[in-house]
Amino acid sequence: MIDVKGAVQNVGLYELPAGSRINDAIEAAGGFLPEADSRSINLAVIVLDESAVYVPKQGEESSELPGATPGGSAEPGLINLNTATEAELTELPGIGPAKAAAIVAHRTENGPFKSTEQLMDVTGIGEKSFEQLKELVRVR
């Protein structure tokens, strides 16, 4: 389920298949309004379940909502540490295949993360890495 907001024909929630992109979410919402600033959005970004896509109007002061990530996705903490696949985790800065596998292994062995700070319990992720990630991850 993706929440599409802003300068689109039909704001609302849309069910899209896994692997869908921001372009698919905007098409599901009927496309851009004439006043949409479509150049500020990366249409190729893959949208994740429970995320939001915000399309700003031309000249809008801030093209992103608080907690937004580049490309128009605006759900604070884009990546859910408890449900993300290894592939999704590798989209995070500094997380390669080995660290993504370690995150999934930690979750499997210890149960779901109860806080984002528990990410520092994963081998290879210290305070410095966590500082880069804390605004991009969440737990639910």
Side-chain angles (χ1 to χ4, degrees):
M1 292 299 291
I2 309 301
D3 186 8
V4 183
K5 306 171 186 246
V8 293
Q9 297 291 332
N10 301 298
V11 171
L13 294 174
Y14 295 91
E15 188 170 353
L16 299 174
S20 294
R21 304 199 179 262
I22 287 180
N23 186 61
D24 300 319
I26 291 170
E27 283 184 15
F32 294 113
L33 290 175
E35 64 269 20
D37 184 5
S38 60
R39 295 180 308 165
S40 69
I41 297 178
N42 181 351
L43 298 173
V45 172
I46 293 174
V47 292
L48 302 176
D49 187 31
E50 300 178 351
S51 64
V53 174
Y54 179 75
V55 178
K57 292 181 181 177
Q58 293 175 15
E60 193 169 317
E61 184 97 3
S62 175
S63 64
E64 296 179 354
L65 296 175
T69 57
S73 184
E75 175 75 16
L78 177 64
I79 302 286
N80 184 338
L81 294 174
N82 291 325
T83 60
T85 64
E86 287 184 32
E88 291 167 340
L89 290 165
T90 61
E91 295 174 16
L92 293 166
I95 303 295
K99 283 187 185 175
I103 292 169
V104 171
H106 184 276
R107 179 176 74 203
T108 302
E109 294 165 13
N110 301 294
F113 289 92
K114 291 182 179 20
S115 71
T116 57
E117 289 78 13
Q118 284 184 304
L119 192 56
M120 290 186 283
D121 295 341
V122 176
T123 304
I125 299 178
E127 285 185 42
K128 213 173 204 180
S129 295
F130 179 69
E131 283 300 312
Q132 289 183 326
L133 299 170
K134 69 181 182 182
E135 300 297 323
L136 302 174
V137 296
R138 67 180 165 139
V139 296
R140 227 186 239 209

